[in-house]
């Protein structure tokens, strides 16, 4: 155990883990960023209680873009019998596996993978699918939402940055043929940041408006979706609706 903890202390972390000896993992950012993780988890936990109840034995969870495993770890602590984290960066997978080893969590596993390459035949379906902080880093967010629906058997929780919406009508091929806008996407350039541990792996990011996200969730096959309410004292971006967390039900 001490050797594993020493390995954890030799790394830098995006998340502040409290280790079994009472020490915490060193982070490569200011402690203020932990507020967004804590807000996300508080909102997620309330959503799980509402949709699944307190008993999680026998339930499974999938964390897409699991990063260094913090939310997957918390899902395992919350009682899920099987938790799988998938991330595009092998370094994140290695860090997450170290955390699982430190805590002896056999129900927690991680693997490297591209979200667009995942399917139910390969990894199965999960009661809960998480996609936190990923959608707005993708150049194919619609395809990612389709993957979430395929892999989800009960509820999918998505947390994402959003952009201002655009409404109205456009001439669609002819002034005689007018179609309503269902939402909009903003394009964000991360092409110079793909080396960063929290950036897009392709650099081209399509960020949805809230209207676009909610419309798409229905079109990819979810039966209903709701925007979760941030708690008092929530991280400022969630509090002021620059980001949202949405629960989509099968």
């Amino acid at each position: 155990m001490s050797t594993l903890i020493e390995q954890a202390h030799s790394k830098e972390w995006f998340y502040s883990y409290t280790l079994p000896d009472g020490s915490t993992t060193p982070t490569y950012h200011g402690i203020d960023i932990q507020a967004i993780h804590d807000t996300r988890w508080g909102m997620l936990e309330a959503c799980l209680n509402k949709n699944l109840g307190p008993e999680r034995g026998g339930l499974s969870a999938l964390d897409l873009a699991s990063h260094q495993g913090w939310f997957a770890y918390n899902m395992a602590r919350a009682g899920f019998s099987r938790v799988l984290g998938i991330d595009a960066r092998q370094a994140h997978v290695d860090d997450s596996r170290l955390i699982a080893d430190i805590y002896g969590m056999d129900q927690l596993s991680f693997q490297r993978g591209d979200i667009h390459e995942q399917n139910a035949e390969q990894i199965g379906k999960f009661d809960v699918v998480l996609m936190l902080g990923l959608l707005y880093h993708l150049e194919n967010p619609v395809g990612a939402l389709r993957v979430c629906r395929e892999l989800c058997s009960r509820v999918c929780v998505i947390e994402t940055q959003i952009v201002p919406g655009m409404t109205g009508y456009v001439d669609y091929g002819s002034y005689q043929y007018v179609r309503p806008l269902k939402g909009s996407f903003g394009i964000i350039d991360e092409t110079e940041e793909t080396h960063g541990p929290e950036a897009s792996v392709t650099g081209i990011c399509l960020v949805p408006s809230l209207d676009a996200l909610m419309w798409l969730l229905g079109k990819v096959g979810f039966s209903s979706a709701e925007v979760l309410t941030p708690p008092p004292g929530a991280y400022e971006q969630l509090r002021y609706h620059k980001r949202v967390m949405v629960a989509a039900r099968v």
Side-chain angles (χ1 to χ4, degrees), residues 49-173:
N49 288 335
K50 176 181 177 180
N51 286 277
L52 302 177
E55 295 300 323
R56 315 282 164 68
L59 298 183
S60 60
L62 172 66
D63 186 5
L64 295 168
S66 52
H67 204 282
Q68 290 175 316
W70 195 81
F71 289 99
Y73 158 78
N74 277 286
M75 294 291 278
R77 287 187 62 200
F80 284 83
S81 297
R82 178 195 175 206
V83 182
L84 173 63
I86 296 178
D87 198 89
R89 292 179 167 92
Q90 186 62 47
H92 289 164
V93 173
D94 294 341
D95 292 343
S96 301
R97 287 173 175 169
L98 175 59
I99 290 296
D101 289 343
I102 286 174
Y103 287 95
M105 290 180 162
D106 295 335
Q107 75 274 41
L108 183 57
S109 62
F110 298 91
Q111 65 188 46
R112 184 178 182 180
D114 183 326
I115 182 174
H116 301 293
E117 297 175 358
Q118 307 308 310
N119 58 72
E121 182 177 355
Q122 178 185 32
I123 63 174
K125 285 180 174 283
F126 296 79
D127 295 288
V128 177
V129 173
L130 305 181
M131 188 166 62
L132 311 180
L134 171 64
L135 191 68
Y136 57 94
H137 289 301
L138 300 176
E139 62 181 54
N140 182 10
V142 179
L145 293 175
R146 292 189 187 279
V147 170
C148 286
R149 176 59 188 89
E150 178 185 351
L151 300 178
C152 182
S153 61
R154 297 185 68 173
V155 61
C156 177
V157 181
I158 298 163
E159 193 270 355
T160 182
Q161 198 94 39
I162 55 174
V163 297
M166 183 182 297
T167 60
Y169 293 82
V170 295
D171 291 358
Y172 204 65

Side-chain angles (χ1 to χ4, degrees), residues 152 154-158 217 222-226 246-250:
C152 182
R154 297 185 68 173
V155 61
C156 177
V157 181
I158 298 163
L217 287 170
F222 288 101
S223 65
S224 64
E226 67 170 321
V246 174
R249 300 175 189 86
V250 172

Side-chain angles (χ1 to χ4, degrees), residues 203-224:
I204 301 171
C205 308
L206 270 64
V207 185
S209 67
L210 181 57
D211 286 346
L213 175 60
M214 301 302 282
W215 184 82
L216 285 167
L217 287 170
K219 290 303 177 182
V220 301
F222 288 101
S223 65
S224 64

